[in-house]
């Protein structure tokens, strides 16, 4: 393309989940319900783990921050997505797109790391219960959470800077419902080798290091559970671990599918469906999977509903 024919992109058009007009209102209602459940579920977990004295342990401290991350991730994506269901011009400015990508990366990377932290917490609690409050002390909890957010922010700055360092000209239609790395780089009119490499290496490093931590932790947890003499105790422990592993498997599976497949195999329409799971569905399900099936949380909810004014100093 001759230099005079370049038209620098100042805004992008998001195609959304579907471009069929008759599906816009039904899809809006579906995702409104999903987002509403996500907000209420995660705010509920944040509130209960902040005010109930029985939920001031490291496990619930990490659950609180997972809920914050899930709420943030959905809020970065869902409101703009739902607005686009109701308007004809589904545009987003260049800088709004960059901000959305950065926000998404902060929360998705933080969630990847937080899942590994939570798996390690359960490993210490089950396999080394006598050392639990020493190894997972208040200071260690604060340090782990702080490093999680710091690493998520640092990764977001590096990756989003690389993605928006390339030129976008002429074509500005993003085949997605939010600004994401893969569909954005597909629009670039310059060499994308460096940003694609950065995205791939970042995704691979974060996913595999987190997955290894989770798998090793749960492998040792399962071995410890098998040593439990009570069949009822084993059944309860396996049930809890099974729920956690189900959520982790769906989350990691969709991310691996999105970011680690070869470029030639990418189908952006298929990627959109996978993205719905880890940006909207999983944040909605996590409060149920991790917390609301828990007796302590149910008791805390009943107590809170009976006496909403009660509170205590959070961890």
């Amino acid at each position: 393309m001759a230099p005079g024919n370049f038209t620098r992109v100042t805004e992008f058009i998001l195609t959304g989940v579907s471009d069929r007009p008759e599906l816009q209102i039904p899809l809006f209602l579906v995702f409104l319900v999903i987002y509403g459940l996500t907000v209420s579920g995660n705010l509920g977990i944040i509130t209960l783990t902040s005010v109930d004295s029985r939920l001031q342990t490291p496990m619930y401290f990490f659950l609180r921050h997972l809920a914050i991350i899930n709420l943030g991730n959905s809020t970065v994506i869902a409101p703009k997505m739902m607005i686009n269901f109701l308007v004809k011009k589904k545009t987003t400015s260049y800088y709004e797109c960059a901000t959305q990508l950065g926000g998404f990366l902060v929360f998705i990377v933080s969630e990847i790391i937080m899942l590994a932290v939570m798996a390690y917490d359960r490993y210490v609690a089950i396999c080394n219960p006598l050392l639990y409050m020493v190894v997972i002390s208040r200071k260690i909890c604060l340090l782990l959470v702080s490093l999680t957010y710091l690493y998520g922010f640092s990764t977001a700055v590096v990756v989003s800077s690389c993605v928006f360092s390339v030129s976008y000209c002429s074509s500005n239609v993003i085949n997605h419902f939010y600004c994401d790395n893969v569909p954005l780089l597909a629009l670039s009119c310059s060499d994308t080798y460096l940003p694609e490499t950065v995205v791939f290496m970042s995704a691979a490093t974060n996913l595999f290091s987190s997955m290894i931590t989770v798998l090793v932790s749960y492998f040792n947890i399962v071995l410890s559970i098998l040593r439990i003499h009570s069949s009822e105790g084993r059944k309860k422990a396996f049930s809890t671990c099974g729920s956690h592993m189900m959520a982790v498997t769906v989350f990691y599976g969709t991310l691996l599918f999105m970011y680690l497949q070869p470029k030639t195999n990418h189908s952006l329409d298929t990627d959109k469906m996978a993205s719905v799971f880890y940006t909207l569905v999983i944040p909605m399900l996590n409060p149920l999977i991790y917390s609301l099936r828990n007796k302590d949380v149910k008791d805390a909810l009943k107590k809170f509903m009976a006496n909403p004014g009660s509170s205590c100093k959070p961890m």
Side-chain angles (χ1 to χ4, degrees):
M1 185 182 290
N5 293 333
F6 277 106
T7 303
R8 187 170 184 83
V9 168
T10 58
E11 66 177 16
F12 294 100
I13 298 171
L14 295 164
T15 61
V17 176
S18 172
D19 56 2
R20 294 174 61 180
E22 68 274 15
L23 292 179
Q24 300 306 298
I25 297 301
L27 285 172
F28 169 79
L29 294 174
V30 168
F31 286 106
L32 179 63
V33 170
I34 290 174
Y35 184 59
L37 291 173
T38 300
V39 171
S40 58
N42 285 290
L43 281 179
I45 295 304
I46 294 167
T47 302
L48 289 176
T49 55
S50 297
V51 303
D52 194 277
S53 58
R54 290 167 296 182
L55 303 182
Q56 305 307 308
T57 64
M59 180 179 77
Y60 294 111
F61 178 75
F62 294 133
L63 280 173
R64 184 191 315 160
H65 284 277
L66 180 67
I68 292 170
I69 291 167
N70 285 159
L71 183 60
N73 195 19
S74 290
T75 301
V76 166
I77 305 297
K80 180 67 175 178
M81 176 189 184
M82 290 189 294
I83 289 170
N84 284 344
F85 283 129
L86 304 177
V87 298
K88 290 185 176 179
K89 192 177 181 183
K90 308 177 192 298
T91 58
T92 181
S93 72
Y94 183 90
Y95 293 106
E96 184 183 3
C97 188
T99 302
Q100 186 182 50
L101 175 61
F104 163 72
L105 289 172
V106 168
F107 290 115
I108 202 71
V109 173
S110 296
E111 183 168 1
I112 291 170
I113 305 303
M114 186 59 67
L115 289 173
V117 170
M118 291 170 66
Y120 177 70
D121 169 71
R122 291 297 83 207
Y123 159 73
V124 177
I126 294 173
C127 300
N128 297 287
L130 297 178
L131 297 175
Y132 181 57
M133 296 311 296
V134 176
V135 176
I136 312 294
S137 64
R138 176 182 168 82
K139 287 184 179 179
I140 294 297
C141 288
L142 292 171
L143 178 63
L144 289 172
V145 167
S146 299
L147 290 176
T148 295
Y149 289 127
L150 179 61
Y151 181 73
F153 179 78
S154 302
T155 303
V157 169
V158 172
V159 174
S160 57
S161 297
C162 284
V163 171
F164 281 90
S165 67
V166 299
S167 299
Y168 294 96
C169 37
S170 299
S171 179
N172 68 336
V173 179
I174 301 174
N175 188 12
H176 217 305
F177 57 88
Y178 70 96
C179 294
D180 195 15
N181 300 316
V182 175
L184 268 169
L185 290 174
L187 299 180
S188 177
C189 54
S190 59
D191 182 22
T192 59
Y193 175 78
L194 177 60
E196 284 178 350
T197 302
V198 170
V199 168
F200 180 86
M201 292 303 297
S202 174
T205 302
N206 293 334
L207 280 171
F208 284 117
S209 60
S210 179
M211 285 175 63
I212 289 170
T213 303
V214 170
L215 289 173
V216 170
S217 297
Y218 272 104
F219 177 76
N220 284 284
I221 287 170
V222 169
L223 292 180
S224 294
I225 291 172
L226 291 174
R227 298 190 190 104
I228 298 174
H229 298 296
S230 166
S231 59
E232 187 64 28
R234 286 198 301 270
K235 183 179 178 182
K236 183 178 178 181
F238 272 124
S239 175
T240 304
C241 290
S243 298
H244 291 187
M245 286 305 295
M246 178 183 68
V248 168
T249 300
V250 174
F251 179 75
Y252 286 138
T254 51
L255 285 176
L256 288 169
F257 177 81
M258 272 289 294
Y259 293 107
L260 300 186
Q261 59 177 311
K263 182 180 178 181
T264 53
N265 291 346
H266 263 293
S267 167
L268 294 179
D269 288 328
T270 306
D271 287 353
K272 281 194 287 188
M273 296 303 103
S275 299
V276 168
F277 276 93
Y278 65 79
T279 59
L280 298 167
V281 175
I282 291 175
M284 177 189 69
L285 294 177
N286 273 345
L288 295 170
I289 293 171
Y290 285 102
S291 301
L292 296 183
R293 294 184 66 211
N294 183 293
K295 185 179 183 298
D296 290 338
V297 175
K298 289 180 180 178
D299 291 342
L301 180 59
K302 291 176 183 176
K303 178 182 176 183
F304 181 78
M305 295 299 290
N307 187 14
S310 65
S311 64
C312 69
K313 184 179 179 181
M315 181 181 173

